[in-house]
Amino acid sequence: MKHCVTLTLRENVGGNSIDGSGLCLSRIIGKSELEISKLSLDSETEDCIGELFDVAVGSSVSRSMVLRGDLSNFHHLAANHHSGTIEIDGNVGDYLGGAMEGCRAGMSGGRVLVRGNAGKQAGYRMRRGEIFIAQDAGDFLAAHMIAGTICVAGNVAGNVAGNAAGKAANHVGYGMRRGSLLLATQPVLAANRFSGPIPGSGRWIRLIEPVGDQKLDRMLAEMAAGNCVTSRGDAAAGGVGEILWTG
Amino acid sequence: MNSRGNSTDLRINGVKIEAEFAEAFDMKATRIIITGHDRYWVDQAAMSMTGFGTSVVGCGIEIAVEQNLAPEQTPDGRPGVSVLAFAVSGSELEKQIPLRLGQCVLTCPTTAVFAGSHESADDSNAEAKASAKRIPMGKSLRYFGDGHQISKVVNTRDGDARYWRIPVMDGEFICQHDVARVSGVGGGNFILLGRDIDAVSVACRAAVDAMRNLPGMITPFPGGTARSGSKVGSKYAGMFASTNEAYCPVLRELVPTKLHAGENCAMEIVIDGLSAQPIAHAMKIGISAACQAAGESGLLRVTAGNYGGKLGRHHFHLHEVMS
């Protein structure tokens, strides 16, 4: 059995934006509850993890961290993630798995599961790994993505928590270089950036291990069975990434 | 039914099991899983991949289908087979596997290729895993994609697994990046001797049928059987192996023979395994089946081939195997 750390948000942090990049699995794993509580949340503040979260250390079949609560104000979560699993039992803020300012790449491996909504720029400059979002994702999903896999079982073109009400999420796959974006709904794609829809080619999706979320797993199974179409791009950036949606 | 008069007299269904031993050698091995849209294409790919793979002497590797796999046993949920390959050196495996995959499986419609062998349990730490020897598969074949290939790294419980998706005319050829090289044992064997071809042929088929689909072993020769049992060396320079005249019935009056009176035909079943245990188990199953099938119709004796015990460190004594 391997280490599993559970961080439960104690209270609503209000409207303050918080840099969540410090909630890094490799920084936390293997430490005691007390040691984790004393770790600083990020380099700019003196807040410790223990001031905002209840910490529990247990065991699991995989190296993992579970975050519970509404983390809509926590941005850049999993920015440095490279192995193991991070599960977020709630919403997350912007730049999930995305590169920090001044960095060329975001997460470089492992798996992130969000059971709620994700904010803007999820997977920005993501290098490798898997992001699963069970609900909706915000604007600029997979923007400048380098490689990896992002799967969204909710909406990417409707109202999303964290967005201004009524504003449609857009710019899906903007500047995408490579990687795979799997969507439950057909995205709005610029014709000069992405190819026309190509039927099939979802067989490789069977290789993805089940996520443990009914909605996501059902969607993946449907796509793996061939019920999907693909669009390649972003051609404007010389990219050959792929956006697949059930159809 | 087994009967044992004394330590050197073991009979099964009237067939004498000689107090001999098979001598086997350490080899390098790997397991590859081939899947396809249906059983027809899986079998075509496997047949092609394992062709000309009977003996390391002339083929470079010994390779055959280990087991048929049901869809729920394969990584992509389609019917498949597991193939075992053995060679005397790691470099020969690294040469043969990509070559055969490229010519025999990449070309075969609907197929996909996955790693079937993994690092041993002792290699559970990351450092050992990183230094474990790997045999390239998609790592070599990806270039066929001419830049259109897609690398896909999938997170698994055991770590990341990299696959290559190569565009081909029926869709995508999916091929895992590489496969672990593991240790193996090659050259387990038993020799069936009988009154005539009919008796020994029936015995061989029964033995190979009984051993088919046993895990961790293969019988790489045609129909699992070799009629050209060999000895090391030859009178001709450059020949590594030549006919084992001691078991050739047409030479019994010309050279020292190991054939007993009434034995006019001998055939050998050669077994390679991922360890000694599956070979020993297969020998027991195979010998029992052969004796039951042809003990009353002309199969007279079972023996085994060895080199005096000085060349290979794995010795399979027939009486121990059958106990």
Side-chain angles (χ1 to χ4, degrees):
Chain A
M1 295 299 277
K2 296 172 181 170
H3 258 118
C4 173
V5 177
T6 302
L7 304 179
T8 306
L9 192 62
R10 282 211 191 111
E11 57 192 62
N12 196 323
V13 293
N16 298 333
S17 286
I18 296 174
D19 176 5
S21 63
L23 295 171
C24 182
L25 184 60
S26 57
R27 225 178 133 225
I28 285 172
I29 214 80
K31 291 187 168 64
S32 68
E33 291 175 359
L34 188 62
E35 288 172 322
I36 295 169
S37 298
K38 288 180 177 174
L39 286 174
S40 62
L41 196 56
D42 64 61
S43 57
E44 292 180 0
T45 67
E46 292 182 355
D47 291 340
C48 293
I49 289 175
E51 290 174 29
L52 293 176
F53 293 92
D54 288 326
V55 181
V57 174
S59 59
S60 165
V61 288
S62 62
R63 200 166 158 264
S64 59
M65 174 168 72
V66 179
L67 301 171
R68 297 190 198 283
D70 185 2
L71 304 176
S72 297
N73 291 340
F74 284 73
H75 308 303
H76 288 291
L77 271 167
N80 302 309
H81 189 49
H82 57 81
S83 67
T85 301
I86 298 177
E87 182 182 330
I88 297 134
D89 197 2
N91 301 329
V92 294
D94 301 337
Y95 293 96
L96 171 70
M100 300 292 289
E101 278 181 36
C103 295
R104 294 171 67 91
M107 70 180 275
S108 57
R111 171 176 276 202
V112 176
L113 166 61
V114 179
R115 295 197 183 274
N117 302 316
K120 291 181 285 188
Q121 303 270 13
Y124 168 72
R125 284 190 176 275
M126 175 181 177
R127 180 73 186 85
R128 198 178 292 124
E130 299 167 343
I131 294 178
F132 299 95
I133 301 166
Q135 302 294 331
D136 302 338
D139 291 354
F140 288 95
L141 173 66
H144 300 281
M145 184 177 184
I146 302 167
T149 304
I150 300 176
C151 180
V152 182
N155 203 348
V156 294
N159 297 335
V160 176
N163 282 359
K167 183 184 174 188
N170 51 27
H171 303 298
V172 172
Y174 180 87
M176 187 178 183
R177 303 297 302 252
R178 280 185 178 262
S180 308
L181 178 56
L182 283 55
L183 304 174
T185 55
Q186 181 171 359
V188 178
L189 299 172
N192 59 339
R193 289 179 172 271
F194 286 87
S195 73
I198 307 161
S201 97
R203 190 161 57 80
W204 65 273
I205 296 170
R206 287 187 191 185
L207 301 172
I208 297 175
E209 290 203 349
V211 180
D213 178 273
Q214 206 174 11
K215 198 173 169 187
L216 281 162
D217 285 333
R218 197 169 50 230
M219 172 189 155
L220 290 171
E222 196 180 334
M223 293 179 120
N227 185 18
C228 65
V229 286
T230 308
S231 191
R232 303 289 295 271
D234 179 348
V240 287
E242 57 180 359
I243 299 179
L244 295 86
W245 63 91
T246 52
Chain B
M1 181 187 290
N2 292 10
S3 63
R4 193 191 291 265
N6 55 53
S7 62
T8 57
D9 186 18
L10 171 64
R11 289 181 181 273
I12 300 175
N13 200 24
V15 181
K16 180 179 172 63
I17 311 298
E18 203 156 45
E20 265 294 0
F21 66 93
E23 187 173 355
F25 306 86
D26 288 319
M27 297 186 90
K28 306 299 180 190
T30 193
R31 180 193 275 126
I32 290 163
I33 293 171
I34 301 170
T35 67
H37 183 68
D38 53 35
R39 182 57 61 188
Y40 174 80
W41 289 121
V42 174
D43 290 344
Q44 293 299 318
M47 208 186 315
S48 183
M49 169 94 179
T50 59
F52 191 61
T54 55
S55 168
V56 293
V57 175
C59 308
I61 59 172
E62 296 176 7
I63 184 169
V65 169
E66 177 196 22
Q67 288 182 307
N68 284 331
L69 301 175
E72 56 272 18
Q73 295 174 292
T74 64
D76 65 355
R78 303 190 303 164
V81 290
S82 60
V83 168
L84 290 181
F86 296 81
V88 291
S89 69
S91 59
E92 190 63 37
L93 271 183
E94 287 161 22
K95 180 178 137 192
Q96 289 275 346
I97 295 299
L99 198 61
R100 286 170 182 262
L101 287 176
Q103 298 304 309
C104 308
V105 186
L106 164 64
T107 55
C108 181
T110 79
T111 57
V113 176
F114 303 97
S117 59
H118 306 280
E119 292 80 8
S120 68
D122 297 339
D123 297 340
S124 54
N125 69 68
E127 197 178 328
K129 263 188 176 175
S131 65
K133 299 291 184 185
R134 312 285 301 178
I135 299 165
M137 299 199 298
K139 184 180 179 183
S140 299
L141 301 182
R142 63 179 153 155
Y143 296 108
F144 184 74
D146 199 25
H148 299 289
Q149 69 273 24
I150 296 174
S151 162
K152 187 50 62 184
V153 179
V154 173
N155 189 254
T156 72
R157 199 164 286 179
D158 300 322
D160 288 341
R162 181 190 288 275
Y163 302 94
W164 288 95
R165 298 162 49 198
I166 302 167
V168 284
M169 296 198 302
D170 69 353
E172 282 183 335
F173 172 59
I174 297 173
C175 185
Q176 196 155 349
H177 185 68
D178 55 16
V179 58
R181 195 183 86 190
V182 297
S183 57
V185 178
N189 69 81
F190 56 90
I191 301 170
L192 301 171
L193 304 107
R195 193 174 56 210
D196 52 31
I197 287 178
D198 280 343
V200 181
S201 173
V202 165
C204 282
R205 290 188 203 186
V208 173
D209 281 347
M211 293 189 288
R212 185 166 295 127
N213 269 345
L214 289 178
M217 53 72 61
I218 56 168
T219 52
F221 280 95
T225 308
R227 59 96 177 263
S228 58
S230 59
K231 66 177 185 296
V232 176
S234 161
K235 69 181 278 190
Y236 300 107
M239 288 286 287
F240 300 112
S242 60
T243 193
N244 192 348
E245 59 264 27
Y247 285 105
C248 295
V250 296
L251 300 177
R252 65 193 317 162
E253 299 299 330
L254 306 177
V255 297
T257 186
K258 289 185 177 175
L259 297 172
H260 296 179
E263 293 173 350
N264 298 311
C265 178
M267 296 183 190
E268 181 176 0
I269 292 176
V270 178
I271 306 166
D272 297 335
L274 291 178
S275 66
Q277 193 276 332
I279 294 178
H281 180 61
M283 286 174 70
K284 181 176 185 176
I285 299 282
I287 291 171
S288 298
C291 294
Q292 294 304 332
E296 291 159 4
S297 56
L299 182 67
L300 301 174
R301 186 164 61 106
V302 180
T303 186
N306 61 64
Y307 307 94
K310 292 176 182 170
L311 294 181
R313 73 181 179 100
H314 303 279
H315 298 168
F316 299 93
H317 293 266
L318 294 183
H319 285 196
E320 287 177 16
V321 163
M322 298 310 295
S323 61

